Amino acid sequence: MKRLMYIAMLTALAAVPLMAVAKSELASPNGRLQLTVDVNDNGQPCYKLDFDGNEVIKPSLLGLTGRQGNFATGFTIDSVATASHDDMWKPVWGEYEQVRDHYNELAVTFVQVRENGVTMTVRFRLFDDGLGFRYELPEQPSVNYLTVTDEATEFNLVADNTMYCIPGDYDTDEYLYVTSALSKVATPLNALRGRHSESHAIDGVTVQTPLMMKSPDSKTYINIHEAALVGYPAMSLDVDTLTYGLSAHLTPDRNGVAAYLQLPFNTPWRTVIVADNACDILASQLIYNLNEPCKIEDTSWIKPQKFVGVWWEMFIGKQRTWAYSDYYKAKPGVTDYAKLSPNGRHAANTANVKRYIDFAAENGLQSVLVEGWNEGWEDWASFLKNRQFLFDKPYPDFDIDELQRYAASRGVKLMMHHETGANAADYERQLDRAFQFMVDHGYNSVKTGYVGAIIPRSEYHSSQWMVNHYLYVVQRAADFKIMVDSHEAVRPTGLCRTYPNWLAQESARGGEFESMGGNPPEHTTILPFTRLKGGPMDYTPGLFETRLSYYGEGKTGQAGTTLARQLALYLTMPSPLQMACDLPENYRRFADAFQFIKDVPVDWSDSRYLEAEPGDYITVARKDKNSDDWYVGGITDENARTAVVDFSFLPEGVDYVATIYADGKDAHYKDNPQSYQITTKKVNRKSRIKQAIAPGGGFAMRLTPQK
Ligand code: NOJ
Ligand code: CA
């Protein structure tokens, strides 16, 4: 049993019940951040945040409003309690072997003076790298339950910051990013809105979190998100382009209610990460620190891993299908699959899956994802009307018993796929049977999916009911010792600390879009500053055949990447679950480059961000958790760049052999993506390497101690 290790160094607690406290102040452990909490003339709770003596957040409102009580106005401060905390904890997997949780805390209790007045506590935690706060609504005589319609929380910025953001949308986050001054963000956001099949774009100028920002003088980097989203809808931010104000916008259900709460209730934490450089934003563990410790006692079955999949061949125009037959074209609502005639293009057939199992076994990859193995895809394709997938009914050409035997004989695991077609209600009905079916057939991980409009129809992908659903699936999966990779789920908020079987999520525009219009190179220089702050992403890197015309059949265009950059993504987009997305035949064509994917770990004992700028570049060094090897990865945007790798992170007195996978001299993501070179060099902690990166390119290094 891997238990969380606590080294409590200092915990002080002081409750100061005061009559009508005027205002309250708190400093971060290093003193650079300063928080002030107050009530204004209308009795509205408010806070402000300073960094190095300058305002980062101007006075901003706090509170929520519900039908049974107003938790936003008419307050005075009743009491204030402070505390300090400093300890280390060990994640089951991640970028660091241990994480320091170090903050000063201020819990401010507000009361309303008038009759039937309510009370609420706002708990603030101020770390060296930012602020977290949440609303704590105690059980109280005048309010028993609360139908929340609005949250008053504001983040009023002091300047026309550069924003790296995607449009507010209740249903999808699979957008490209806008980089814009806050005051001018409306036009580019509008141009992106509603382009996705799941989309329900929010009216007005609204952005999703994690929202990344940089001050106009480039001296302050700010990231706003939330932590521990449990029992509450996801938050977007309405933008006031004139005053630079941001305000909370909760995802409602289709009746306009954001949350149904039974008191006592604690909301998710609202988070503001603040740093004077971009690397510190990437390194921040604030969101994980605000999540609860691991709730799974025995975590020995949770295994970081790499996988291949019967997957990309369905995306790239080889006319391979998820469905077994084309029957839906004639008549939707099939009942007897065994009688259907196969379309001859169904990818999840036993022979094809064995090919992938062989490939995984030969190359030391742990598992094989198979999509389109089960009944229901005909109905789904008939167009998202009444789809129902069956999670214990393999298609006739998918011999699950034979594949279980074959995979086991080759030491490979099969990864289950549950595409629900967004019919979450039906998925919950089938869930236990589906998980038992997995256990009976040797599966220990599942990729879930929610493509389409949610059933129940009252809900959105990021509404309270669905937030509860995704977590329920993960919790129930843990009872069956199953790891989860959820696609089209609400953006993550660090809950994988508490439930580390939640290995990864999609919840952003992933690599699959290279087959559907492409991802410009800057996309992956922004994601680590935004989506990844909530948790690892199943981005599906490893695309070697980047020329779509290679696949024939009318596909044209070029993925927004060089081949070498795809290797770097395993380091710049850290995840305990990494796909090698391309076809086995393409990896065989570039076997020397594929060696890196075979070697690269997915679990780290340490990480050092060496250089970074959102939208431009990232260079990171990481140490393997299971050996003395270090790895370095770097990417750029559409511009060529020279990365400077300073190896002073290496230990004293050890020489390393660096195997360097880099763009070729003439490489370019647009017209020469497959030009790469592999070289070796000796390095030690005194070395510095200037590493050229092609436009849209990247590099990856493996450093092995010299024997
Ligand atoms: C969308 C997912 O992101 C993708 O990975 C999957 O293949 C399809 N849905 C089908 O389930
Ligand atoms: Ca750029």
Side-chain angles (χ1 to χ4, degrees):
M1 186 178 85
K2 217 187 241 171
R3 276 205 58 136
L4 292 163
M5 190 186 73
Y6 276 90
I7 310 166
M9 288 162 66
L10 173 74
T11 303
L13 198 81
V16 191
L18 293 173
M19 290 298 287
V21 179
K23 70 176 179 186
S24 233
E25 289 179 344
L26 184 74
S28 60
N30 67 6
R32 291 182 70 185
L33 283 166
Q34 184 83 31
L35 171 76
T36 310
V37 181
D38 206 348
V39 287
N40 67 15
D41 294 344
N42 299 324
Q44 294 169 293
C46 49
Y47 73 103
K48 81 178 192 95
L49 187 65
D50 291 9
F51 183 45
D52 288 342
N54 302 312
E55 270 186 345
V56 190
I57 308 256
K58 292 188 288 196
S60 298
L61 296 180
L62 297 163
L64 10 126
T65 313
R67 290 187 182 153
Q68 299 77 8
N70 145 34
F71 290 79
T73 60
F75 279 116
T76 55
I77 296 178
D78 180 59
S79 62
V80 169
T82 56
S84 295
H85 181 93
D86 190 1
D87 74 15
M88 304 289 276
W89 58 276
K90 288 197 166 204
V92 173
W93 45 257
E95 295 182 72
Y96 303 91
E97 193 158 30
Q98 43 181 4
V99 175
R100 185 174 182 189
D101 184 14
H102 187 199
Y103 59 82
N104 291 331
E105 181 176 288
L106 180 69
V108 183
T109 298
F110 298 90
V111 291
Q112 287 169 352
V113 279
R114 58 176 194 276
E115 205 186 338
N116 284 335
V118 298
T119 173
M120 126 181 124
T121 298
V122 185
R123 188 173 301 278
F124 299 89
R125 287 190 179 160
L126 198 51
F127 302 78
D128 287 342
D129 54 348
L131 171 69
F133 62 88
R134 72 176 181 193
Y135 303 104
E136 300 182 355
L137 311 179
E139 221 178 326
Q140 47 194 297
S142 65
V143 186
N144 180 287
Y145 60 91
L146 191 67
T147 311
V148 177
T149 47
D150 199 16
E151 187 177 310
T153 311
E154 293 176 340
F155 307 88
N156 292 324
L157 305 163
V158 293
D160 193 8
N161 292 330
T162 303
M163 301 174 94
Y164 307 83
C165 57
I166 57 176
D169 193 309
Y170 297 147
D171 269 317
T172 185
D173 21 36
E174 297 186 17
Y175 283 101
L176 289 175
Y177 282 86
V178 161
T179 301
S180 164
L182 188 159
S183 61
K184 302 200 169 62
V185 79
T187 307
L189 273 183
N190 258 322
L192 282 183
R193 287 150 61 97
R195 288 271 189 82
H196 197 266
S197 64
E198 277 105 52
S199 167
H200 186 106
I202 302 172
D203 289 334
V205 190
T206 307
V207 297
Q208 298 194 37
T209 70
L211 167 65
M212 185 63 209
M213 288 177 291
K214 178 163 85 166
S215 64
D217 62 3
S218 297
K219 286 190 176 148
T220 312
Y221 293 78
I222 306 166
N223 177 290
I224 299 182
H225 189 37
E226 56 184 317
L229 174 60
V230 178
Y232 203 73
M235 176 183 71
S236 298
L237 296 169
D238 291 331
V239 183
D240 186 326
T241 53
L242 297 175
T243 64
Y244 313 146
L246 307 175
S247 54
H249 181 130
L250 301 178
T251 304
D253 64 12
R254 287 178 199 258
N255 298 313
V257 173
Y260 303 85
L261 307 180
Q262 182 67 48
L263 272 43
F265 184 82
N266 297 339
T267 69
W269 298 89
R270 276 65 189 94
T271 62
V272 186
I273 305 173
V274 184
D276 60 11
N277 70 88
C279 288
D280 286 355
I281 298 279
L282 294 175
S284 170
Q285 299 294 295
L286 181 145
I287 288 171
Y288 292 124
N289 277 328
L290 289 169
N291 274 272
E292 301 273 311
C294 179
K295 288 197 172 154
I296 299 172
E297 280 260 307
D298 168 19
T299 58
S300 60
W301 51 275
I302 298 172
K303 304 261 189 246
Q305 58 187 286
K306 289 176 279 191
F307 69 105
V308 284
V310 178
W311 182 73
W312 189 236
E313 56 183 283
M314 281 92 100
F315 275 84
I316 41 84
K318 286 208 150 182
Q319 298 301 317
R320 305 282 274 173
T321 62
W322 278 270
Y324 170 70
S325 77
D326 295 332
Y327 189 78
Y328 66 89
K329 285 180 182 157
K331 185 171 173 286
V334 178
T335 51
D336 192 350
Y337 286 83
K339 288 197 187 123
L340 294 177
S341 44
N343 63 16
R345 291 173 287 117
H346 178 228
N349 64 76
T350 307
N352 196 34
V353 175
K354 282 190 178 175
R355 232 169 36 89
Y356 281 83
I357 292 173
D358 288 341
F359 182 76
E362 283 155 22
N363 294 290
L365 306 174
Q366 287 76 23
S367 46
V368 176
L369 164 74
V370 186
E371 298 202 358
W373 68 278
N374 62 323
E375 294 185 2
W377 292 87
E378 283 81 1
D379 215 21
W380 186 59
S382 71
F383 237 74
L384 310 175
K385 289 276 168 15
N386 296 303
R387 68 273 181 198
Q388 187 187 34
F389 289 90
L390 299 173
F391 302 112
D392 57 356
K393 291 280 184 297
Y395 277 130
D397 61 346
F398 182 85
D399 186 340
I400 195 164
D401 296 318
E402 169 60 10
L403 287 168
Q404 178 178 8
R405 187 200 62 75
Y406 191 73
S409 77
R410 306 239 42 195
V412 168
K413 283 280 187 190
L414 288 174
M415 188 185 295
M416 179 49 82
H417 184 225
H418 289 165
E419 174 55 66
T420 67
N423 192 342
D426 183 59
Y427 190 36
E428 289 192 10
R429 275 197 291 276
Q430 294 192 54
L431 196 64
D432 281 15
R433 200 166 72 231
F435 284 161
Q436 189 57 50
F437 182 80
M438 284 178 58
V439 171
D440 292 346
H441 292 89
Y443 291 78
N444 65 351
S445 63
V446 62
K447 170 178 168 180
T448 59
Y450 299 87
V451 174
I454 298 292
I455 298 176
R457 286 293 192 230
S458 53
E459 302 306 322
Y460 297 110
H461 282 75
S462 59
S463 62
Q464 181 192 27
W465 193 93
M466 283 304 291
V467 165
N468 291 341
H469 168 83
Y470 309 118
L471 186 57
Y472 172 69
V473 170
V474 167
Q475 289 168 330
R476 199 71 188 116
D479 296 336
F480 289 83
K481 295 192 165 36
I482 288 171
M483 295 168 271
V484 180
D485 167 20
S486 27
H487 280 230
E488 297 91 29
V490 68
R491 43 198 174 274
T493 57
L495 282 164
C496 56
R497 172 181 176 186
T498 314
Y499 303 98
N501 65 318
W502 206 343
L503 284 189
Q505 292 187 226
E506 183 187 43
S507 305
R509 182 175 164 121
E512 68 190 28
F513 276 85
E514 298 292 10
S515 74
M516 306 182 281
N519 290 340
E522 71 156 22
H523 188 59
T524 39
T525 68
I526 298 176
L527 283 172
F529 288 97
T530 53
R531 161 66 184 75
L532 267 64
K533 292 317 299 171
M537 177 170 177
D538 180 19
Y539 182 81
T540 71
L543 185 63
F544 279 12
E545 188 41 83
T546 51
R547 301 161 304 156
L548 300 182
S549 59
Y550 173 84
Y551 302 106
E553 294 166 40
K555 287 257 172 190
T556 54
Q558 166 62 44
T561 177
T562 65
L563 189 152
R565 176 200 193 79
Q566 289 291 310
L567 303 179
L569 294 180
Y570 289 87
L571 300 161
T572 58
M573 303 273 288
S575 173
L577 182 72
Q578 292 280 28
M579 190 176 204
C581 74
D582 213 329
L583 310 178
E585 68 198 64
N586 291 336
Y587 290 136
R588 292 201 176 98
R589 285 164 57 215
F590 301 100
D592 56 353
F594 183 60
Q595 185 62 42
F596 182 82
I597 297 181
K598 290 165 68 169
D599 292 340
V600 69
V602 285
D603 196 13
W604 309 99
S605 60
D606 199 2
S607 295
R608 308 286 174 88
Y609 288 93
L610 306 178
E611 313 173 297
E613 202 54 49
D616 295 340
Y617 56 86
I618 296 172
T619 308
V620 64
R622 302 190 192 277
K623 183 173 173 298
D624 181 14
K625 207 182 217 174
N626 301 306
S627 78
D628 292 328
D629 291 357
W630 279 82
Y631 287 76
V632 184
I635 57 171
T636 180
D637 58 6
E638 69 283 2
N639 303 307
R641 169 163 206 275
T642 303
V644 179
V645 183
D646 177 337
F647 290 90
S648 55
F649 56 82
L650 290 173
E652 197 84 53
V654 190
D655 289 330
Y656 287 77
V657 179
T659 308
I660 305 171
Y661 302 75
D663 293 317
K665 283 200 168 50
D666 51 354
H668 195 296
Y669 77 101
K670 279 195 177 146
D671 51 22
N672 196 14
Q674 290 167 333
S675 164
Y676 63 91
Q677 56 191 26
I678 303 171
T679 53
T680 55
K681 266 195 186 122
K682 258 198 229 164
V683 296
N684 61 36
R685 60 170 290 137
K686 294 196 186 83
S687 311
R688 268 162 75 93
I689 288 184
K690 287 191 172 173
Q691 181 60 56
I693 312 181
F699 70 90
M701 301 181 183
R702 178 186 183 178
L703 314 180
T704 312
Q706 205 172 14
K707 292 277 139 54

